[in-house]
Amino acid sequence: MVERYLRQSPLAHLGLDGRAQAVRGESGVAMSEQPFRGIVNLRVQPDDSEAMAALESALGFALPVEPNTTAASATALAFWLGPDEWWIVTPGPEPESGPNMAVTLRTALTDRRGAVTDVSDSRTCIRISGPRARDLLCKGMPLDLHPRVFPSGCCAQSHLAKTGVVLHLIAEDGPTFELYVLRSFAEYLWLWLEDAAREYGLTITSS
Amino acid sequence: MLLIPCPYCGERAESEFSYGGEAHIARPADPEKTSDADWADYLYTRTNTKGVYFERWMHAHGCRRWFNIARHTVSYDILAVYETGAPPPKFDTKSEV
Ligand SMILES: [Zn+2]
């Protein structure tokens, strides 16, 4: 685990607090970083009903088995990533939140087949909201983000501006998206988004 | 761009996938006893079909699973999508669309 005082978000050097600005006139898009979330990668066979039940009682909710969907409680958010793969995201920012979740899941899977890997610091999260958020994402993404196809609560792994991302629509109202990007790509993607959002009027907020 | 129906994630753009070449090519059971010619044939010879072609794809930017597709190499129509390990569906592989 990283020492608290050494912990730095991959966008820290951009000084987002200092960049925080509101545009004059209409703001079509608002962006912020949501750093330091805990992320745990979970692999388990969905037809192993004992393991799935143990995970459900550990999490307090059932893992989503419907493709491209999420499930959540107040303390954890589960992403369907594949037929036997999930992410369990914790809000952070405590550095222990990811490792603690990994321990919880590993305990639930005691003597059962599965894999639990803490990948918290591999990625950061960027929140994008506003009436033009969809237009902004569509500039660099092949996903169909129409509400009929990609409603609130949906998630998908895809690519944005050639960078692999996990996209999550947290609320149709707004709409508000969150995307998870590998930390070494975070600066590139943030600057790409800033540039692409300029024509819509961009507000940057500190997280 | 092809719209490829991933058997796990649903329809996605071709740019999310990587291509794995022809499907259903069995590795020789005993490489030590396989002749150089047969080994070279296993490694390099492909059918280059004009018609229905069985090929492997991987959803690289999505679920990262391998699967098979039956695709017509003239019309580019995707005629079937099936799991790795499943036998190829029956088609008249020489048929023109
Ligand atoms: Zn997929």
Side-chain angles (χ1 to χ4, degrees), chain B residues 29-51:
Chain B
D30 192 348
E32 296 296 319
K33 295 201 176 95
T34 305
S35 71
D36 285 355
D38 286 348
W39 189 254
D41 185 56
Y42 156 67
L43 285 181
Y44 301 116
T45 310
R46 299 295 180 262
T47 56
N48 194 25
T49 309
K50 183 181 181 185

Side-chain angles (χ1 to χ4, degrees), chain A residues 41 43 67-68 80-85 142-143 155-159 162-165, chain B residues 1 3 6-17 59-65:
Chain A
N41 187 283
R43 302 291 302 267
N68 311 314
W80 181 96
L81 297 183
D84 57 3
E85 184 172 9
L143 284 179
C155 70
Q157 298 184 85
S158 188
H159 55 86
K162 301 179 195 164
T163 304
V165 294
Chain B
M1 172 128 40
L3 198 57
C6 169
Y8 309 106
C9 305
E11 278 190 344
R12 298 292 186 89
E14 182 185 348
S15 58
E16 291 188 9
F17 296 82
H59 196 184
H61 279 288
C63 61
R64 295 181 300 283
R65 297 311 187 274

Side-chain angles (χ1 to χ4, degrees), chain A residues 98-154:
Chain A
N100 285 348
M101 176 54 76
V103 170
T104 303
L105 297 173
R106 211 167 282 140
T107 307
L109 283 177
T110 306
D111 298 329
R112 296 193 176 92
R113 255 185 93 205
V116 173
T117 315
D118 178 17
V119 295
S120 299
D121 290 317
S122 66
R123 286 168 177 82
T124 192
C125 177
I126 297 173
R127 181 176 288 180
I128 301 170
S129 60
R132 305 304 297 274
R134 238 183 217 103
D135 298 320
L136 170 61
L137 292 169
C138 286
K139 280 191 188 186
M141 242 181 161
L143 284 179
D144 185 351
L145 295 179
H146 193 282
R148 200 169 48 220
V149 182
F150 201 83
S152 175
C154 263

